[in-house]
Amino acid sequence: MSLDAHQEKLSFQAEVKQLLHIVVHSLYSNKEIFLRELISNASDAIDKLRFAALSDPALYESDSDLAIRITYDTTARTITISDNGIGMSREEIVDNLGTIAKSGTREFLSQLTGDQKKDAHLIGQFGVGFYSSFIVADKVAVKSRRAGLGSEHGVLWESAGDGEYTVANIEKKDRGTEITLHLKAGDDEFLNDWRLRNVITKYSDHLNIPILMVKRTDDGKETTEWETVNRATALWSLPKSSVTAEQYKEFYKHVAHDFEDPLAWTHHKIEGGNIDYTTLLYLPTRAPFDLWQRDSSHGLKLYVQRVFIMDQVEQFLPHYLRFVRGVLDTTALPLNISREILQDHPSIAKLRSALVRHVLDLLEKIAKDDPEKYATFWKEFGNVLKEGPAEDFANRERIGKLLRFASTHTEANAQIASLDDYIARMKPSQKKIYYITAENVNAAKSSPHLEIFRKNDIEVLLLADRIDEWVVGHLPEFQGKAFQSVAKGDLQLDEIIPENAEAKKEEEKKDTEQKQEFENLLKNIREILGDKINEVRLSHRLTTSPACLVRDQNALTPQMERLLKAAGQPITEVKPILEINPEHTLVRKLHDEKDQARLNEWTNILYDQALLAEGSPIPDPAAFVNRLNKLWVELSH
Ligand code: ADP
Ligand code: MG
């Protein structure tokens, strides 16, 4: 039978061209990783076949010795990596090797600078994959045949990595994939038995699939026998003491499809309890570029009794731990489990809570033993972990301990203050955890709302991430201490009410006097501002600013109001309360102002300033500027 080759020449997707360029140009200093990537793919393909064959043993086609084979040819100057895994159909090969389906890829690639060092670092967030072949090869030929299809359904994919590739139909007797790299001039170092074995054991010792090479005699002659080069036992099944840090790291790169070392890992073998499992969980060093994409890959690799079942299983970890990578191997699930059954299998909840515990234990340990490392973690994944208190009620308190905030009492603007630190620094009479929300940390820091706190040296958390307000909303208290916005309520601070009765009386007397003294002014302001405000009153929170706006205890903060508005959410607007500072010269001046027209101007400026200070837009900026200029001119006469 003659085969219609049906050869086509196709163009790589634009993103692939770009990726190819940077892989080839920024990773040449670490050339050997091409082999790790191709072996990793072959191993995945074999895992997939083994799983598919559980329900369809015919897929083995009388060849169930699953293995990866590596050969080289010094005359042709080629290296060939072949596997008898699941293989690819023509359509799959075009999809998998000609395009990148991840959303956000274009934006990611647009960040690349052209500076090869920086780009090499960035690419770590992406993974390298198949395209790393072109680091050492100027031509790559992939022959593949999908398991279960006839031998006439083989495909040949070929490319020089320069923007185009060809596909053609071929006859391929064995299922699986065979990749041949035609080495670039100068890369002959890899045409060497010792060198290849070395790279294999360095990166792939831990894969649970044998990697075979032809056995050679002592003087280097090929025999006809194959031998296994790697240890070929699943890394997670080994006792912790027999695994080196290097091996843990290399295994991470395989499971996580990451290019960089992990930040930390935790490895557990639990037997004889109410559920048996082994798990190896990793924290990446860096957030993948698509962490915030809806379809970003996440979850663990699931194995049942060493057999790979599926990838990206999300059921075992809550959403707020979606950055965790690794494997779970358990006997508590049946081998024939499907994604659908997985949803409500009774063991899932138990495994899930066990894994959450392992991750939280690990995070706590890092936070305690290595704050610098924890800061790295927090920078990358803090905003994901912040979803925890809302999602995982049972672990709210534990997650609360892991949160970090910027604060008036820590250096710089970094998020380094923990709630435990905060509580340790509280005043003896302090009952609440104070916070302020703002657009950014600097705006939070200079808010008039902080004045009374600064004067009395009371710590305030500076919340400037969009999610922060929501976090404290779902964490109404921590260690029995309620959260309190400094921009809400009347804020009679317990902390500064004088201890002795006499001083207390003195204070109260001063309060009443001031109220009487300013009664008229308050009434005037109320009339001038009309329905712009809900109320005007004397402030207990200002020391250096003349005025500020506050909200009712139950109202949204201005920050939240702006966010919801921007998101197009309907909100019922609650009018703010204007607080004025009776000690301030400007307010005194207002108090003494006899000219009603001028009082009107000043009052409006005061109100607009208070809006600006909390980061809210002023309704009529031009009027504000005109007023200010008018008064300025008056004053300079
Ligand atoms: P990743 O492994 O992160 O998915 P790669 O670039 O390494 O990315 O591979 C792209 C895809 O090509 C794989 O997801 C897989 O579907 C397919 N693929 C690569 N190598 C093989 C192989 N040896 N057998 C079957 N499919 C493969
Ligand atoms: Mg890969």
Side-chain angles (χ1 to χ4, degrees):
M1 187 188 74
S2 86
L3 192 74
D4 172 13
H6 185 48
Q7 190 175 21
E8 275 183 287
K9 192 172 211 151
L10 296 166
S11 225
F12 285 117
Q13 181 196 26
E15 284 88 333
V16 174
K17 284 186 204 168
Q18 241 180 311
L19 187 68
L20 261 169
H21 183 84
I22 83 150
V23 167
V24 172
H25 288 89
S26 55
L27 299 179
Y28 59 82
S29 58
N30 197 9
K31 284 180 181 181
E32 62 192 28
I33 59 154
F34 78 90
L35 195 56
R36 173 189 79 195
E37 294 297 327
L38 296 180
I39 290 174
S40 174
N41 286 348
S43 157
D44 286 346
I46 288 176
D47 271 346
K48 284 179 197 160
L49 175 87
R50 195 187 273 158
F51 175 65
L54 287 175
S55 51
D56 183 5
L59 291 177
Y60 279 129
E61 304 171 13
S62 74
D63 171 19
S64 59
D65 280 339
L66 301 172
I68 299 167
R69 288 183 159 77
I70 298 181
T71 55
Y72 63 94
D73 179 335
T74 42
T75 321
R77 303 187 54 260
T78 59
I79 298 178
T80 299
I81 297 100
S82 67
D83 65 71
N84 51 3
I86 193 78
M88 288 178 273
S89 67
R90 182 169 178 135
E91 200 185 346
E92 285 168 326
I93 225 171
V94 168
D95 279 351
N96 293 337
L97 307 186
T99 62
I100 304 172
K102 288 186 183 180
S103 56
T105 303
R106 188 177 298 244
E107 292 80 348
F108 165 76
L109 290 169
S110 71
Q111 296 172 39
L112 298 174
T113 56
D115 175 337
Q116 289 167 1
K117 257 211 182 107
K118 279 193 196 137
D119 289 352
H121 210 48
L122 259 178
I123 194 81
Q125 301 172 44
F126 197 89
V128 189
F130 170 77
Y131 303 114
S132 63
S133 324
F134 291 99
I135 303 175
V136 294
D138 49 21
K139 185 179 153 198
V140 176
V142 182
K143 291 180 183 170
S144 196
R145 201 251 298 160
R146 176 91 192 176
L149 298 180
S151 62
E152 72 280 16
H153 288 285
V155 205
L156 171 64
W157 179 103
E158 279 182 306
S159 176
D162 54 359
E164 286 175 334
Y165 61 93
T166 58
V167 273
N169 296 341
I170 54 163
E171 181 85 26
K172 188 171 185 301
K173 193 162 75 46
D174 306 318
R175 73 157 188 273
T177 303
E178 179 187 301
I179 299 180
T180 300
L181 309 180
H182 297 261
L183 296 185
K184 290 179 184 170
D187 284 327
D188 290 12
E189 59 176 297
F190 294 108
L191 299 173
N192 176 298
D193 190 63
W194 180 86
R195 179 82 169 100
L196 290 174
R197 284 169 191 255
N198 209 279
V199 178
I200 293 167
T201 46
K202 178 166 170 194
Y203 296 109
S204 314
D205 217 20
H206 48 262
L207 296 185
N208 55 338
I209 292 174
I211 301 168
L212 311 181
M213 286 186 71
V214 169
K215 196 168 175 176
R216 284 171 190 260
T217 58
D218 287 344
D219 53 3
K221 293 225 168 61
E222 281 192 11
T223 68
T224 51
E225 241 178 289
W226 291 93
E227 65 183 350
T228 306
V229 179
N230 63 337
R231 281 209 288 185
T233 40
L235 184 88
W236 64 90
S237 66
L238 300 171
K240 274 193 234 184
S241 55
S242 72
V243 185
T244 65
E246 269 326 300
Q247 288 170 326
Y248 275 122
K249 288 178 188 172
E250 287 312 330
F251 186 67
Y252 164 78
K253 290 172 190 169
H254 167 64
V255 281
H257 298 236
D258 196 348
F259 174 63
E260 284 183 73
D261 286 344
L263 188 71
W265 55 87
T266 183
H267 184 185
H268 302 270
K269 194 171 206 160
I270 308 292
E271 269 162 1
N274 64 359
I275 198 158
D276 286 1
Y277 65 89
T278 302
T279 186
L280 173 53
L281 303 170
Y282 289 97
L283 302 178
T285 300
R286 216 195 256 266
F289 79 99
D290 60 351
L291 181 68
W292 296 98
Q293 303 282 340
R294 209 166 312 198
D295 58 352
S296 76
S297 60
H298 67 276
L300 304 179
K301 276 192 171 200
L302 174 66
Y303 288 78
V304 172
Q305 298 165 42
R306 299 290 128 73
V307 178
F308 169 78
I309 305 295
M310 53 191 117
D311 238 339
Q312 301 189 22
V313 186
E314 299 170 15
Q315 281 82 353
F316 298 105
L317 286 170
H319 207 58
Y320 74 95
L321 297 179
R322 63 180 177 275
F323 47 82
V324 174
R325 296 286 180 270
V327 300
L328 170 67
D329 190 349
T330 180
T331 49
L333 296 169
L335 270 167
N336 62 358
I337 195 149
S338 67
R339 265 185 212 274
E340 293 68 45
I341 303 174
L342 200 53
Q343 297 294 352
D344 34 39
H345 191 279
S347 291
I348 301 290
K350 278 187 207 159
L351 288 165
R352 182 178 160 110
S353 79
L355 297 196
V356 169
R357 188 159 41 76
H358 293 317
V359 177
L360 295 181
D361 284 347
L362 175 64
L363 289 173
E364 264 169 32
K365 191 168 173 312
I366 301 172
K368 186 162 151 280
D369 300 345
D370 194 347
E372 209 167 296
K373 196 184 237 190
Y374 193 75
T376 306
F377 162 77
W378 185 257
K379 190 170 136 281
E380 295 295 313
F381 301 109
N383 277 350
V384 181
L385 196 69
K386 282 176 186 171
E387 296 170 9
E391 190 186 351
D392 188 352
F393 195 78
N395 285 305
R396 224 165 35 157
E397 195 84 8
R398 285 197 77 183
I399 301 163
K401 274 181 181 293
L402 293 167
L403 301 178
R404 295 293 180 269
F405 301 99
S407 156
T408 50
H409 281 48
T410 53
E411 268 174 68
N413 290 355
Q415 299 184 354
I416 48 173
S418 73
L419 295 174
D420 284 328
D421 295 342
Y422 183 98
I423 288 176
R425 288 189 287 255
M426 276 167 76
K427 300 282 165 198
S429 53
Q430 189 178 343
K431 297 190 187 68
K432 293 175 175 168
I433 299 173
Y434 294 104
Y435 69 90
I436 181 167
T437 52
E439 203 62 53
N440 55 62
V441 174
N442 283 330
K445 263 185 180 166
S446 52
S447 162
H449 292 123
L450 289 190
E451 290 172 4
I452 189 73
F453 293 89
R454 196 164 285 133
K455 184 173 166 212
N456 291 285
D457 190 35
I458 299 170
E459 180 165 6
V460 177
L461 301 176
L462 309 169
L463 310 188
D465 278 321
R466 285 172 164 238
I467 188 177
D468 285 341
E469 187 132 25
W470 192 70
V471 176
V472 290
H474 285 89
L475 198 69
E477 54 169 60
F478 178 77
Q479 310 269 324
K481 309 275 189 293
F483 284 84
Q484 169 71 47
S485 161
V486 301
K488 283 181 176 178
D490 189 21
L491 214 71
Q492 289 269 18
L493 295 179
D494 299 325
E495 296 79 355
I496 54 172
I497 292 174
E499 296 284 324
N500 77 52
E502 198 133 312
K504 207 166 172 176
K505 235 184 185 163
E506 195 60 24
E507 192 92 340
E508 277 164 13
K509 197 169 139 229
K510 193 175 142 206
D511 243 30
T512 330
E513 278 171 12
Q514 275 185 339
K515 268 191 190 134
Q516 274 168 1
E517 192 189 353
F518 283 87
E519 203 186 326
N520 249 333
L521 178 62
L522 292 176
K523 228 161 62 198
N524 274 331
I525 293 179
R526 174 82 245 209
E527 256 161 43
I528 292 166
L529 293 178
D531 60 5
K532 285 181 184 161
I533 56 168
N534 208 3
E535 189 192 334
V536 51
R537 66 188 180 207
L538 297 183
S539 184
H540 292 286
R541 61 186 104 213
L542 298 175
T543 62
T544 51
S545 297
C548 71
L549 293 170
V550 303
R551 301 291 189 286
D552 244 11
Q553 188 61 23
N554 302 318
L556 295 171
T557 61
Q559 171 75 358
M560 194 60 142
E561 212 171 80
R562 280 193 298 277
L563 284 178
L564 291 176
K565 263 192 198 161
Q569 301 262 16
I571 49 167
T572 37
E573 262 177 81
V574 180
K575 283 177 202 131
I577 298 157
L578 180 69
E579 285 194 356
I580 57 170
N581 176 3
E583 319 274 354
H584 198 280
T585 328
L586 277 181
V587 175
R588 289 243 143 245
K589 267 195 141 159
L590 276 184
H591 175 266
D592 301 335
E593 183 60 65
K594 298 285 178 299
D595 182 335
Q596 186 62 33
R598 203 173 305 151
L599 180 65
N600 192 325
E601 300 289 272
W602 278 121
T603 301
N604 272 296
I605 289 175
L606 206 63
Y607 168 73
D608 282 348
Q609 279 186 351
L611 279 174
L612 286 174
E614 69 170 22
S616 294
I618 45 178
D620 188 349
F624 172 74
V625 173
N626 282 337
R627 280 200 183 102
L628 208 57
N629 289 347
K630 207 167 111 198
L631 287 165
W632 201 350
V633 170
E634 258 179 53
L635 288 177
S636 53
H637 277 308

